[in-house]
């Protein structure tokens, strides 16, 4: 098993295709953006992947941004292939993201998880995440 940061230089067609399939396990209805677009230099997104041999079995993304209140990160799209869940891969992906965030000097890392994702929430809490006392609002199709 190998954890690595994916870059435009290391992105292959095979990884792109596998990421598309893997993400469908997380959310089959969302329209996906190609990894090549995500990995543009001006996008401020770190993509961590987990491979066994040449097979993508997990990934997690960290977006960074600066606002008046600090330098923040937002974790998105954490997914481990169903055949490999329960083996600590999600924890390894999250730990790698947290290490990278610390090295970047982030003040805070945020994430959103559906209430039905009980194993994920248990993992996030075990890593020190707490529920924020605020609401999340969304606006789509505007």
């Amino acid at each position: 098993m190998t954890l690595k940061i994916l870059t435009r230089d290391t992105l292959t067609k095979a990884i792109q295709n596998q990421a598309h399939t893997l993400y469908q396990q997380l959310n089959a209805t969302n329209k996906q953006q190609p990894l090549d677009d995500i990995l543009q230099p001006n996008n401020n997104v770190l993509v961590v992947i987990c491979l066994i041999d040449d097979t993508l079995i997990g990934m997690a993304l960290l977006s960074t941004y600066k606002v008046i209140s600090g330098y923040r990160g937002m974790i998105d799209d954490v997914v481990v292939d169903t055949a490999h869940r329960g083996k600590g891969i999600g924890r390894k992906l999250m730990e790698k993201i947290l290490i990278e965030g610390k090295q970047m000097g982030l003040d805070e890392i945020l994430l959103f998880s559906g209430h039905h994702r009980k194993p994920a929430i248990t993992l996030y809490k075990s890593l020190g995440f707490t529920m924020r006392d605020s609401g999340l609002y969304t606006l789509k199709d505007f």
Side-chain angles (χ1 to χ4, degrees):
M1 177 176 68
T2 305
L3 279 178
K4 69 180 193 175
I5 296 172
L6 187 64
T7 65
R8 290 189 80 205
D9 294 335
T10 59
L11 176 63
T12 64
K13 183 81 168 157
I15 291 174
Q16 173 62 62
N17 291 339
Q18 291 174 42
H20 177 80
T21 301
L22 181 62
Y23 182 79
Q24 288 181 325
Q25 293 180 27
L26 181 65
N27 190 322
T29 60
N30 274 1
K31 180 183 178 214
Q32 293 184 34
Q33 300 297 316
L35 283 175
D36 190 49
D37 288 350
I38 293 166
L39 294 170
Q40 293 295 321
N42 62 346
N43 198 30
N44 298 329
V45 175
L46 178 79
V47 179
V48 177
I49 60 172
C50 182
L51 300 164
I52 292 182
D53 298 321
D54 291 326
T55 302
L56 181 67
I57 61 162
M59 66 181 175
L61 283 68
L62 174 67
S63 305
T64 60
Y65 59 98
K66 292 180 181 177
V67 291
I68 292 172
S69 57
Y71 186 25
R72 297 223 175 102
M74 177 65 137
I75 296 174
D76 280 296
D77 303 332
V78 179
V79 60
V80 173
D81 184 89
T82 53
H84 296 278
R85 290 182 187 164
K87 299 177 181 177
I89 295 166
R91 175 171 295 279
K92 290 182 186 313
L93 287 165
M94 290 295 297
E95 288 172 346
K96 177 68 172 164
I97 288 238
L98 296 176
I99 289 167
E100 294 296 323
K102 187 172 189 119
Q103 289 175 348
M104 289 178 201
L106 297 178
D107 299 313
E108 182 178 29
I109 296 180
L110 309 165
L111 63 81
F112 171 78
S113 184
H115 298 294
H116 65 286
R117 299 191 186 280
K118 304 249 186 256
I121 291 168
T122 299
L123 169 62
Y124 302 146
K125 285 181 177 179
S126 77
L127 292 167
F129 285 87
T130 58
M131 187 170 293
R132 199 174 208 199
D133 292 331
S134 62
L136 175 67
Y137 299 85
T138 184
L139 175 65
K140 291 187 175 190
D141 301 322
F142 58 95

